[in-house]
Amino acid sequence: MELNAIKKLMEKFANRKEQLYKQKEEGKKVFGMFCAFVPIELILAADAIPVGLCGGKNDTVPIAEEDLPRNLCPLIKSSYGFKKAKSCPYFEAADVVIGETTCDGKKKMFELLERMVKMHVMQLPYMKTEKAKELWVEEVKKLKEMIEKETGNKIDEEKLKESVEKVNKMRKLFYKLYELRANKPTPIKGIDALKLFQFAYLLDIDDTIEILEELVKELEEKVKKGEGYEGKRILVSGCPMVAGNTKIVELIEEVGGVVVGEESCTGTRFFENLVEEPTIEGIAERYLKIPCACMFHNDERIENIKRLVKELNADGVVYYTLQYCHTFNVEGARVEEELKKEGIPVIRIETDYSESDKEQLKTRLEAFIEMI
Amino acid sequence: MELNAIKKLMEKFANRKEQLYKQKEEGKKVFGMFCAFVPIELILAADAIPVGLCGGKNDTVPIAEEDLPRNLCPLIKSSYGFKKAKSCPYFEAADVVIGETTCDGKKKMFELLERMVKMHVMQLPYMKTEKAKELWVEEVKKLKEMIEKETGNKIDEEKLKESVEKVNKMRKLFYKLYELRANKPTPIKGIDALKLFQFAYLLDIDDTIEILEELVKELEEKVKKGEGYEGKRILVSGCPMVAGNTKIVELIEEVGGVVVGEESCTGTRFFENLVEEPTIEGIAERYLKIPCACMFHNDERIENIKRLVKELNADGVVYYTLQYCHTFNVEGARVEEELKKEGIPVIRIETDYSESDKEQLKTRLEAFIEMI
């Protein structure tokens, strides 16, 4: 039942480091990023490479805790630790790292990180007032100027149109993937879909598109034949699960669930909404729509979760928070309440990257899945 | 050695609830606030009352934890709990509560709080770019409009000039207080100074000014006579210590230190920088100067701490973080580093409102004070 596209994904990933350094040798600039808010269209339009940064492993947490408080989200600590330990090839390849003021922990961590790597930090507003939109357009403009300066390449209309089309194409394929996952049985395991999102931040976008095209074909075949995975259908909703961090999805699928969607930065927040106009304003508009928990009055997110449960025929929601992530954690109360109103079963999990709570989580998830 | 002004402060505070409700009965509107970022000049200019909200007690934490995560800052939980328990007279008196997006935890807590009380949330930018300044001016304008609508009173030039003068007058008195505290021996105990800042958020501003004027005179007398408090001179730097929360200052003074200054929202961040022009722009400018740890690249704060140590003849710095406050906690690393470079002793304390760590903190502070 193994999918060829997933096999190819793993191969491309295994080869990515070498490929990236080759691209770099050929003169391409590399821009590292932490977050779904970075408009990769601008990087691609300058003939440069956007690449996600490592931050999903517990191994680099202790070295980070030499500088950062212990009670900070594991993703922030892990990322910082990777740079400090020089153990992430993407971090090491990055000419500039692009950050954004999505959350307190990350924002302040950048002040320490920028001693080790050249950084450009975008100011993200938390409301969607007219002035806030203007500010964000300005931030996107400044990013464009920085990329142009760094690469020496002018981002003209034509180049931007091309890159917008390419990224939209990838997004449409992810939409298609979600449509296919809505089938019963669902044609792909959650763990494979998660890896696809995780590696989409790391791979060359042309490779990601190629893999997605093949995957969609394979899954269409499986759906036609009625092949796939049965089990309680779970939507995972919450914090990003970056490469290396597969804990929750693995646990859910170990205890008889099957993850059919991810309302996550490694999921819907990565691909939902196309860029409508290939302009700075059009790009700014699309990215400001991302319903991140950092937004004040983030009702779109709650509507999104409810919609996804329906569209994906999910039986329940696992609300996933990384420890000490205040935004997703506090928002969880409202999400839980709204889902319960609709009769949608939900369990809230808060965890870090360690192994210590795995047995306890497994027991809780098992009980949840039996109950629904 | 008791100061008359401090006696009067305690009396005024004891009477404040009654006075506030009387002012309210007379038709004055009450605007509650959490933070030093709220421009009280606008509230006063509309003949209304700005009042700080309770949030310094552990008692209301458990009721808050019914809705909020446990690992959230005690100030946020305590405030929310006070409203939920209806046990804060200022919260109950408030017609509108003014919040701001200073930190993740507070910002998201407001989404739950606004079910219990009418709220107006200001969007605070985290950088000081031109667009960010424009955004903030707009937010100050919107606040003015909301206050005018709520009170039915127009905030005209004349009224604004008056209120700006009044608040500046209070600020100058606090500057004077700091000058006097710089003396050796220092003429006022830290715990008394702290209460002054705490109650300045709660009292009628005319009462605060009256108390400050009397206090300055009394302290001038004491300085002339060379009277005051000896001991290792400590600058407390970090998170706000709102009314009810006197833990750290008390502990420092119990073990032989004397607090000579507070680089805090209940301290310098409350009074430093005057409003230069009595206009919306002038007000916006003053408030955006507040070196809160929520700012990205908050170097002014570090410079401020170093300057305060010198001006106040401090022997060391107690860096105070409320548990899970990411901004002050992460910034602490840089503060510590910069102070050590200058040979200024510093100890970092992270704590909550409980009693459980008191003995341990006392031992640490005792050792620190002996060492310096």
Side-chain angles (χ1 to χ4, degrees):
Chain A
M1 281 248 290
E2 206 188 348
L3 294 155
N4 268 322
I6 297 300
K7 233 172 80 187
K8 192 180 273 181
L9 175 77
M10 302 312 287
E11 281 164 16
K12 289 280 183 192
F13 173 64
N15 189 44
R16 179 56 176 149
K17 182 179 157 184
E18 201 184 320
Q19 180 195 26
L20 180 68
Y21 279 81
K22 212 179 142 214
Q23 290 171 321
K24 208 171 143 64
E25 261 173 44
E26 286 162 4
K28 288 203 178 193
K29 291 282 178 180
V30 177
F31 294 87
M33 54 188 188
F34 285 97
C35 184
F37 274 103
V38 177
I40 52 174
E41 288 87 345
L42 294 175
I43 302 170
L44 294 169
D47 205 24
I49 307 167
V51 71
L53 299 166
C54 310
K57 291 273 192 195
N58 212 35
D59 315 5
T60 56
V61 168
I63 194 174
E65 287 176 352
E66 292 170 6
D67 305 330
L68 293 170
R70 283 194 56 237
N71 52 21
L72 200 65
C73 127
L75 173 50
I76 296 174
K77 286 189 293 192
S78 173
S79 311
Y80 182 84
F82 266 109
K83 183 65 211 175
K84 196 170 177 189
K86 299 190 168 68
S87 54
C88 168
Y90 314 111
F91 241 132
E92 295 312 299
D95 296 288
V96 182
V97 165
I98 303 167
E100 14 48 46
T101 61
T102 32
C103 70
D104 289 345
K106 216 161 50 162
K107 175 177 69 183
K108 297 304 282 185
M109 176 271 277
F110 292 155
E111 294 180 355
L112 301 176
L113 185 65
E114 67 186 359
R115 302 160 169 200
M116 299 186 275
V117 61
K118 187 169 179 180
M119 286 210 68
H120 176 94
V121 179
M122 301 178 80
Q123 182 173 204
L124 182 72
Y126 293 149
M127 295 186 186
K128 289 167 187 179
T129 58
E130 276 315 304
K131 279 281 169 199
K133 285 177 188 168
E134 275 178 36
L135 177 118
W136 181 239
V137 169
E138 185 74 15
E139 290 296 310
V140 174
K141 255 185 219 160
K142 279 197 274 186
L143 180 72
K144 173 177 173 274
E145 285 159 17
M146 183 280 286
I147 293 168
E148 285 180 332
K149 202 178 149 198
E150 199 64 33
T151 57
N153 298 336
K154 193 89 195 141
I155 299 175
D156 60 25
E157 264 181 53
E158 199 46 45
K159 290 248 179 204
L160 199 56
K161 197 162 165 263
E162 262 174 49
S163 76
V164 164
E165 272 168 18
K166 188 180 277 186
V167 183
N168 277 347
K169 186 175 175 184
M170 178 184 71
R171 290 189 184 116
K172 285 178 197 163
L173 285 161
F174 275 116
Y175 269 110
K176 187 72 200 159
L177 171 67
Y178 262 52
E179 266 175 44
L180 289 162
R181 293 171 82 187
N183 284 286
K184 284 185 171 181
T186 190
I188 183 171
K189 275 192 264 183
I191 189 70
D192 287 337
L194 177 63
K195 282 186 180 151
L196 191 64
F197 281 111
Q198 292 181 334
F199 298 161
Y201 276 93
L202 304 173
L203 296 185
D204 189 291
I205 187 166
D206 291 325
D207 288 336
T208 302
I209 289 173
E210 191 189 313
I211 290 163
L212 277 167
E213 283 174 334
E214 183 164 346
L215 182 66
V216 163
K217 271 186 215 155
E218 281 188 277
L219 297 185
E220 281 171 341
E221 272 311 303
K222 288 184 76 174
V223 168
K224 250 187 238 167
K225 293 186 199 154
E227 283 174 14
Y229 302 89
E230 313 268 6
K232 295 292 169 62
R233 301 170 65 91
I234 301 296
L235 174 73
V236 176
S237 170
C239 287
M241 296 169 279
V242 310
N245 170 23
T246 49
K247 186 172 169 179
I248 278 299
V249 172
E250 266 173 15
L251 283 175
I252 293 168
E253 301 202 324
E254 259 176 49
V255 298
V258 53
V259 174
V260 294
E262 306 77 15
E263 192 280 322
S264 170
C265 316
T266 36
T268 56
R269 285 196 292 277
F270 179 65
F271 73 86
E272 282 194 335
N273 299 311
L274 303 182
V275 173
E276 302 289 348
E277 292 292 327
T279 57
I280 293 295
E281 290 73 18
I283 288 171
E285 198 187 338
R286 185 263 159 196
Y287 281 87
L288 201 57
K289 277 186 197 153
I290 297 174
C292 172
C294 69
M295 293 291 161
F296 181 65
H297 285 164
N298 192 31
D299 298 336
E300 297 96 314
R301 179 167 173 238
I302 296 174
E303 290 312 309
N304 241 14
I305 298 171
K306 290 195 272 184
R307 179 181 56 74
L308 284 163
V309 168
K310 273 184 208 144
E311 284 179 5
L312 295 166
N313 296 303
D315 299 309
V317 173
V318 173
Y319 192 90
Y320 170 69
T321 309
L322 288 169
Q323 224 177 4
Y324 313 118
C325 172
H326 297 334
T327 57
F328 280 98
N329 208 348
V330 178
E331 192 158 284
R334 287 192 60 219
V335 172
E336 185 177 2
E337 207 179 82
E338 293 291 322
L339 291 181
K340 282 188 173 162
K341 267 190 214 162
E342 308 264 322
I344 300 166
V346 52
I347 185 174
R348 282 168 73 184
I349 301 280
E350 186 183 349
T351 184
D352 59 10
Y353 289 170
S354 75
E355 301 282 309
S356 61
D357 60 352
K358 253 185 154 169
E359 282 311 308
Q360 190 211 338
L361 287 180
K362 200 169 160 176
T363 309
R364 285 187 63 206
L365 287 168
E366 208 157 20
F368 177 68
I369 280 174
E370 264 173 37
M371 185 205 76
I372 61 179
Chain B
M1 281 248 286
E2 206 189 345
L3 294 156
N4 269 322
I6 296 301
K7 233 171 80 187
K8 192 182 271 179
L9 175 76
M10 301 313 285
E11 282 163 16
K12 289 279 184 193
F13 173 63
N15 189 46
R16 179 54 175 152
K17 182 180 158 183
E18 201 183 319
Q19 180 195 28
L20 180 68
Y21 279 81
K22 210 176 144 217
Q23 289 171 321
K24 209 171 143 64
E25 261 173 43
E26 287 162 4
K28 287 203 179 193
K29 291 282 179 182
V30 177
F31 293 88
M33 54 187 189
F34 285 97
C35 183
F37 274 103
V38 177
I40 51 174
E41 289 86 346
L42 294 175
I43 301 170
L44 294 169
D47 204 24
I49 308 167
V51 70
L53 299 165
C54 310
K57 291 272 192 194
N58 212 33
D59 315 6
T60 57
V61 168
I63 193 175
E65 286 177 352
E66 292 170 7
D67 304 330
L68 294 169
R70 282 194 59 238
N71 52 20
L72 200 65
C73 128
L75 172 51
I76 296 173
K77 286 188 292 190
S78 173
S79 312
Y80 181 84
F82 266 109
K83 183 64 210 175
K84 197 171 175 188
K86 297 190 169 66
S87 56
C88 168
Y90 314 111
F91 241 131
E92 296 311 300
D95 295 289
V96 181
V97 165
I98 302 167
E100 13 48 47
T101 61
T102 32
C103 70
D104 290 344
K106 218 161 49 162
K107 176 177 67 183
K108 298 304 280 186
M109 177 271 277
F110 292 156
E111 295 181 353
L112 302 177
L113 185 66
E114 67 186 359
R115 301 160 170 202
M116 298 187 275
V117 62
K118 189 169 178 178
M119 286 211 67
H120 176 94
V121 178
M122 301 178 80
Q123 182 172 205
L124 182 73
Y126 294 149
M127 295 187 185
K128 289 165 187 178
T129 58
E130 276 316 303
K131 279 281 169 198
K133 285 178 189 168
E134 275 176 37
L135 177 117
W136 181 238
V137 169
E138 186 73 15
E139 290 295 310
V140 174
K141 254 184 219 161
K142 279 198 273 185
L143 180 71
K144 173 177 172 276
E145 284 158 18
M146 184 279 287
I147 293 168
E148 286 181 331
K149 202 178 148 199
E150 199 64 33
T151 57
N153 298 335
K154 193 89 197 143
I155 299 174
D156 61 24
E157 262 181 53
E158 198 47 45
K159 291 251 180 199
L160 199 56
K161 196 163 168 263
E162 263 174 49
S163 76
V164 163
E165 272 168 18
K166 188 178 275 183
V167 183
N168 277 346
K169 186 176 176 184
M170 177 183 72
R171 290 191 184 114
K172 285 178 196 161
L173 285 161
F174 275 116
Y175 269 111
K176 187 73 198 157
L177 170 67
Y178 262 52
E179 264 175 45
L180 288 162
R181 293 171 83 188
N183 284 285
K184 284 185 171 181
T186 191
I188 182 170
K189 275 192 263 186
I191 189 71
D192 287 337
L194 177 63
K195 282 185 180 153
L196 190 65
F197 280 111
Q198 292 181 333
F199 299 162
Y201 276 93
L202 303 174
L203 297 184
D204 189 291
I205 186 166
D206 291 325
D207 288 337
T208 302
I209 289 173
E210 192 188 312
I211 290 163
L212 277 166
E213 282 173 334
E214 183 165 345
L215 182 66
V216 163
K217 273 186 211 150
E218 282 189 278
L219 298 185
E220 280 172 342
E221 271 312 303
K222 288 184 74 176
V223 167
K224 249 187 238 164
K225 294 184 197 154
E227 283 174 16
Y229 303 89
E230 312 268 6
K232 293 292 168 60
R233 300 170 63 91
I234 301 297
L235 174 72
V236 176
S237 170
C239 286
M241 297 169 278
V242 309
N245 170 22
T246 49
K247 186 171 168 178
I248 278 299
V249 173
E250 267 172 14
L251 283 174
I252 293 168
E253 301 202 324
E254 259 176 49
V255 298
V258 53
V259 174
V260 294
E262 306 77 13
E263 192 280 320
S264 171
C265 316
T266 36
T268 56
R269 284 196 293 276
F270 179 65
F271 72 86
E272 281 192 337
N273 298 310
L274 304 182
V275 173
E276 302 289 347
E277 292 294 327
T279 57
I280 293 295
E281 290 71 19
I283 288 171
E285 197 186 339
R286 185 265 160 196
Y287 280 87
L288 201 57
K289 277 185 197 154
I290 298 174
C292 172
C294 70
M295 294 291 161
F296 181 65
H297 285 164
N298 192 30
D299 297 336
E300 298 95 314
R301 180 166 172 239
I302 296 173
E303 290 313 308
N304 241 14
I305 299 170
K306 291 195 270 186
R307 179 182 55 75
L308 284 163
V309 167
K310 274 185 205 143
E311 284 179 4
L312 296 166
N313 298 303
D315 299 309
V317 173
V318 172
Y319 191 90
Y320 170 69
T321 309
L322 288 169
Q323 223 178 1
Y324 312 119
C325 172
H326 297 335
T327 56
F328 280 98
N329 208 349
V330 178
E331 192 159 284
R334 288 192 59 219
V335 172
E336 184 177 3
E337 207 179 82
E338 293 291 322
L339 291 181
K340 282 188 173 163
K341 266 190 214 162
E342 307 265 323
I344 300 166
V346 54
I347 184 173
R348 281 169 73 185
I349 301 280
E350 186 184 348
T351 184
D352 59 11
Y353 290 171
S354 75
E355 300 282 309
S356 61
D357 61 350
K358 253 185 154 169
E359 281 311 307
Q360 190 211 338
L361 287 180
K362 200 169 161 176
T363 309
R364 285 187 63 204
L365 286 168
E366 208 157 18
F368 176 68
I369 281 174
E370 263 173 35
M371 183 206 78
I372 60 179

